[in-house]
Amino acid sequence: NKFAATTQALCDLAAKGDLKSLTRFLEVTPRIEQAIDGEALVEALGEVLTPLGAGVGSGDDDIVAALLAQGASPNQQAGPRQLAPLHLAVSGGCRPHHPTVELPNEGKEITARLLAANADASVRTSDGASPLHYACATGELDCAELLLDTESGRHSLGFLAEGMRPLTIAALKGN
């Protein structure tokens, strides 16, 4: 992919939360739309993500806003687990499969921004987990409420991930 280096640079800048450098990079890079929804390894997060996913993981709402304004898809999934930006936003920067990694995250604000940009609240990872599963697993109740305010979020109440519904996961985790 001839845009892989551009995608990697976008992911790195987004993951660092460097709004000034990211904005400049978006302004001067030709055909940025070819790389905006690519995927790259974001070492700080230990995941293969899109630039928007990296921005969400950084916890910086301004980074997320800049990437969405540039045309990043709020529904683009990435990596072997097929994470969407919404999965990261609703889990408070702490991924259920990596509970020791805590990242600063404006989860509720970023979740609201992604939903306003038409993020699909029923998107599922490769193991069947919806954003609601992630919010319930990590105790992000404000984010869970935002998801349940959408039709697709309510639909995901019946989804099974690893044999469990979101409310079962919340109960098991004490959330």
Side-chain angles (χ1 to χ4, degrees), residues 161-175:
E162 298 179 9
M164 292 186 277
R165 289 185 168 77
L167 295 178
T168 305
I169 291 172
L172 289 173
K173 298 281 187 173
N175 299 324

Side-chain angles (χ1 to χ4, degrees), residues 9 35 77 111 121 134 136 143:
Q77 294 174 264
T111 298
Y134 273 52
C136 288
C143 293

Side-chain angles (χ1 to χ4, degrees), residues 82-164:
Q82 289 295 286
L83 290 172
L86 203 49
H87 288 102
L88 292 167
V90 302
S91 59
C94 171
R95 296 172 315 284
H97 295 290
H98 303 283
T100 59
V101 179
E102 294 280 347
L103 300 170
N105 196 314
E106 301 170 18
K108 184 177 179 182
E109 293 80 15
I110 292 173
T111 298
R113 183 176 300 282
L114 291 170
L115 290 171
N118 296 315
D120 180 1
S122 66
V123 64
R124 297 176 76 178
T125 62
S126 59
D127 66 358
S130 69
L132 188 58
H133 285 92
Y134 273 52
C136 288
T138 57
E140 295 293 327
L141 302 181
D142 288 341
C143 293
E145 287 177 8
L146 287 172
L147 294 169
L148 290 170
D149 284 342
T150 69
E151 185 175 335
S152 60
R154 287 187 300 278
H155 178 69
S156 66
L157 277 169
F159 288 170
L160 294 176
E162 298 179 9
M164 292 186 277

